[in-house]
Amino acid sequence: MSAASTKALFRATKPRRRHPAQKLLGDFPDQVKPSEARDPLDYDPTPPEATSAFLAAEGARLREIGGPVWEPAVGGGHMADELARHGFEVIGSDLVDRGWSGVRLQSFYDFAAPPADILITNPPYCEVSARDGHGRWLRHIEDLGVRYAAMLLNWDWIAARINGMDDLHARFPVSRAYVCCWKIDFRGGGSPPQRNGWLVWDADWQGETVLRRLFRDGPDGRQGALI
């Protein structure tokens, strides 16, 4: 009987030569996922183009209503400053002072009446989401009886159904919805993961919710209602 070949064993135990590129890759440090310190109040400053694009679509309606604009989560004033740049007087309030001059330090929920007919904000998502906030922020807008409210939200927000959101939307429906046709980079890190949109509750609106597309570079003939 002939002896079994040992070639396979030698092939398995023989050190393999690495391609030069593999050596270079081995010199890189191990990659770890960065840990993002989330603000406990979900504070995400709004880039100016998100507000200016919204005003290009809704500015005429805001001027028709008239009066100041209330920003109840004014933060550092990123949205308020853009509103002012477009000629709107702004009343800004917040739970904490983040540096905006003239901020009224008061919780949104402590307002028994709105200080203006128009409310525009990027709210703390933990307060308006279905999972964590049970839609609490929107419920308070409804209770205040604000004539016009607009919020910049995660586009998935409107699809939530848990914690009574179906009843809330049926009772207090969105008038106009604008899906942002670019991804808003709130934190300046590039490649934002989510899609956002502006939702409007207009007490003078009659009929079904209208869906429109919103473009970062201003009015566009393609912004007509989606049919």
Side-chain angles (χ1 to χ4, degrees), residues 80-158:
D81 289 345
E82 191 63 19
L83 286 163
R85 193 176 73 83
H86 283 78
F88 295 97
E89 177 189 352
V90 181
I91 299 171
S93 62
D94 210 321
L95 189 61
V96 296
D97 185 351
R98 298 185 188 270
W100 187 72
S101 178
V103 61
R104 178 173 172 178
L105 288 178
Q106 184 173 339
S107 167
F108 175 59
Y109 303 113
D110 288 341
F111 282 88
D117 286 334
I118 301 170
L119 181 158
I120 300 177
T121 192
N122 171 9
Y125 197 69
C126 59
E127 292 294 315
V128 74
S129 69
R131 187 191 69 180
D132 300 321
H134 296 199
R136 185 183 180 203
W137 192 277
L138 180 60
R139 294 176 195 276
H140 192 55
I141 289 177
E142 181 189 22
D143 291 341
L144 287 172
V146 178
R147 182 177 177 185
Y148 179 105
M151 292 194 288
L152 179 60
L153 295 168
N154 183 325
W155 192 246
D156 286 339
W157 177 85
I158 193 69

Side-chain angles (χ1 to χ4, degrees), residues 17-210:
R17 288 182 299 173
R18 293 188 300 173
H19 189 278
Q22 290 180 307
K23 185 176 181 180
L24 293 175
L25 289 173
D27 293 335
F28 285 106
D30 292 337
Q31 297 296 309
V32 294
K33 183 178 180 181
S35 59
E36 296 185 3
R38 185 72 183 176
D39 185 281
L41 298 177
D42 271 358
Y43 175 58
D44 276 323
T46 306
E49 66 269 14
T51 304
S52 61
F54 172 74
L55 293 175
E58 286 283 312
R61 174 59 181 150
L62 300 178
R63 292 182 175 89
E64 180 183 14
I65 295 173
V69 174
W70 177 27
E71 218 290 43
V74 71
H78 297 77
M79 187 176 289
D81 289 345
E82 191 63 19
L83 286 163
R85 193 176 73 83
H86 283 78
F88 295 97
E89 177 189 352
V90 181
I91 299 171
S93 62
D94 210 321
L95 189 61
V96 296
D97 185 351
R98 298 185 188 270
W100 187 72
S101 178
V103 61
R104 178 173 172 178
L105 288 178
Q106 184 173 339
S107 167
F108 175 59
Y109 303 113
D110 288 341
F111 282 88
D117 286 334
I118 301 170
L119 181 158
I120 300 177
T121 192
N122 171 9
Y125 197 69
C126 59
E127 292 294 315
V128 74
S129 69
R131 187 191 69 180
D132 300 321
H134 296 199
R136 185 183 180 203
W137 192 277
L138 180 60
R139 294 176 195 276
H140 192 55
I141 289 177
E142 181 189 22
D143 291 341
L144 287 172
V146 178
R147 182 177 177 185
Y148 179 105
M151 292 194 288
L152 179 60
L153 295 168
N154 183 325
W155 192 246
D156 286 339
W157 177 85
I158 193 69
R161 304 192 64 186
I162 62 173
N163 295 326
M165 294 299 286
D166 276 351
D167 290 339
L168 178 59
H169 288 308
R171 184 179 69 246
F172 193 49
V174 173
S175 304
R176 294 179 292 282
Y178 296 90
V179 58
C180 295
C181 295
W182 78 99
K183 290 189 176 181
I184 301 172
D185 189 2
F186 291 97
R187 303 186 190 182
S191 301
Q194 69 183 28
R195 178 78 59 189
N196 291 91
W198 282 94
L199 301 180
V200 174
W201 289 263
D202 187 338
D204 299 329
W205 181 259
Q206 295 181 355
E208 298 295 322
T209 301
V210 171

